[in-house]
Amino acid sequence: MSSDQAKEIEAVPPSLQDFKAPVLPDNKLVLFFHPYNFYSQKVLLVLYEKKIDFFPYVVDLCNGEQYSSWFLNLNPKGDVPVLQDGAFIVPNSTHIINYVESKFRGAKHPALKPAQNSKDYDQMLLYEQAVGRLPVGALSLGSFIHDDLKLVPKAPFIGPVRQSCLKNNEKVLDLLRRSVEELASNKAALKNKLDIQVRRRDLVSSREDFQRVLDAVRHFLLYVEQELSAKAPRSEWLTGDELTLADISLGLLLHRLYQLGFENHYWAFGKLPQVEAYFLRFRQRESYHRLQPSNFAILREMWMRTPGNYKLGAGAGFLGMAMFAAFAHK
């Protein structure tokens, strides 16, 4: 193949006008999300645990749908998840969780927060804040960069997909840069997002700096191990016998570490037996099994909505691009 032919079929980033506003069902909650985005997963787990019916809309992060005009009207920051309840729009996973926890109560919708002004509530907040301080996006991206960690990642984050994730890092950032340059509004929010992602990339590029990220996760898990040991065998979950929002946050963090292949690094082979047993319990929940739909179903839906000028050269890198856009960026 000549160099001119290669350039001709090279993936061309889509223009920001390629995505049209979707037609959505009336009188139903709509969740705009991506299935590999950490905070989208957190909201999904909450909706599943509370048995809330909703319409899922997968936002095509890898091709820039989050920077299309229709989506920026929902969330000027261009982030997922976003919840729509009629004319009411709720961006940000924390706000979404607070909203559904307040609106959906009773026997049909189990509470995920203990009573306020209780010891259990204070414990839940402590765990929530601790997980919230961990740089999950940096952890994901750094795991793709530093091969010396000898991780055992799980499908689909293995082999060629990992390389595609790295290869498309700059493409995702370039898409955000173009959005900042070309859009007439939302510049400040998008510029701030770009600055954060550039700093994240620079942080994890240094092995020494990335080690600090790994150490922060280790220190938190050591604390969790001590707390679980003190409670065992009296209670299964962090604040007692009932699963709370703290368990969703911790369980999802362990799930992310497991997907990236960090279990041997942190808790397996007797390193943190209470954490390991806790994660096994969490993985038995129905909500956990519903968390990840079929990879092929997700990507098929995204491929069908991918603009034609991008499809021509996407090829084998499409999966990696999709995973990176959601997995490393938050």
Side-chain angles (χ1 to χ4, degrees):
M1 178 185 298
S2 70
S3 59
D4 289 340
Q5 287 175 316
K7 290 179 181 178
E8 202 171 300
I9 67 169
E10 184 179 355
V12 178
S15 66
L16 299 177
Q17 289 74 36
D18 281 331
F19 292 96
K20 305 299 181 183
V23 177
L24 302 170
D26 296 327
N27 303 318
K28 195 169 188 179
L29 285 179
V30 178
L31 180 67
F32 302 92
F33 75 109
H34 191 284
Y36 289 101
N37 171 269
F38 183 83
Y39 296 101
S40 291
Q41 291 177 331
K42 185 173 181 179
V43 170
L44 283 171
L45 284 172
V46 167
L47 294 175
Y48 293 150
E49 286 289 342
K50 290 184 70 67
K51 306 184 187 309
I52 298 172
D53 187 34
F54 67 98
F55 178 82
Y57 182 90
V58 177
V59 179
D60 190 351
L61 300 183
C62 64
N63 288 321
E65 189 173 15
Q66 70 273 35
Y67 306 128
S68 60
S69 58
W70 78 263
F71 188 81
L72 290 174
N73 286 333
L74 295 179
N75 184 5
K77 294 183 178 180
D79 286 335
V80 292
V82 175
L83 186 75
Q84 181 173 346
D85 186 5
F88 195 54
I89 307 298
V90 188
N92 184 284
S93 60
T94 299
H95 297 326
I96 293 172
I97 291 168
N98 289 339
Y99 177 76
V100 299
E101 182 72 2
S102 175
K103 179 173 181 176
F104 296 92
R105 302 181 180 184
K108 292 184 178 180
H109 306 293
L112 294 174
K113 292 184 179 182
Q116 291 193 24
N117 302 319
S118 67
K119 181 180 178 181
D120 288 348
Y121 184 83
D122 292 340
Q123 280 189 313
M124 182 206 70
L125 284 182
L126 178 67
Y127 283 110
E128 273 287 281
Q129 292 166 359
V131 174
R133 286 192 294 266
L134 295 175
V136 177
L139 182 69
S140 303
L141 177 57
S143 73
F144 296 142
I145 295 174
H146 301 290
D147 292 334
D148 64 295
L149 293 168
K150 307 299 181 186
L151 303 176
V152 284
K154 313 303 179 294
F157 306 105
I158 57 178
V161 172
R162 293 173 67 83
Q163 295 304 313
S164 293
C165 286
L166 289 176
K167 181 179 179 182
N168 286 299
N169 181 18
E170 290 303 322
K171 290 184 180 180
V172 174
L173 288 176
D174 284 344
L175 188 58
L176 180 51
R177 288 190 187 97
R178 287 195 309 111
S179 301
V180 172
E181 294 169 359
E182 296 179 18
L183 292 173
S185 58
N186 305 305
K187 284 185 179 292
L190 295 177
K191 180 62 166 60
N192 182 61
K193 181 176 181 178
L194 176 62
D195 291 342
I196 291 172
Q197 293 192 2
V198 169
R199 289 199 302 270
R200 177 185 298 161
R201 179 201 60 189
D202 294 343
L203 168 69
V204 300
S205 296
S206 163
R207 183 64 177 84
E208 182 179 354
D209 289 340
F210 186 58
Q211 187 60 47
R212 294 191 182 97
V213 174
L214 298 179
D215 290 343
V217 174
R218 183 184 301 279
H219 291 151
F220 172 67
L221 292 180
L222 285 171
Y223 171 77
V224 172
E225 178 73 13
Q226 293 173 354
E227 290 296 301
L228 290 174
S229 297
K231 296 177 182 295
R234 290 172 293 149
S235 57
E236 288 191 340
W237 306 111
L238 290 174
T239 64
D241 292 328
E242 300 297 328
L243 183 127
T244 70
L245 188 57
D247 297 293
I248 287 177
S249 295
L250 175 58
L252 186 55
L253 173 65
L254 296 175
H255 170 65
R256 175 58 61 95
L257 292 170
Y258 175 76
Q259 281 190 310
L260 294 172
F262 276 106
E263 71 273 19
N264 293 345
H265 188 79
Y266 284 123
W267 66 77
F269 303 111
K271 290 186 177 78
L272 298 176
Q274 294 295 334
V275 169
E276 183 173 20
Y278 175 95
F279 185 47
L280 289 174
R281 290 195 298 274
F282 188 79
R283 292 177 65 187
Q284 293 172 4
R285 298 190 71 84
E286 180 185 352
S287 62
Y288 180 89
H289 291 287
R290 296 179 64 188
L291 184 62
Q292 294 286 12
S294 162
N295 294 332
F296 292 105
I298 296 164
L299 294 173
R300 180 180 180 277
E301 177 184 352
M302 293 173 67
W303 181 260
M304 293 297 292
R305 293 189 288 108
T306 297
N309 65 327
Y310 189 82
K311 276 184 177 179
L312 184 61
F318 179 73
L319 176 59
M321 185 71 166
M323 296 305 142
F324 181 85
F327 210 59
H329 288 244
K330 257 197 170 181

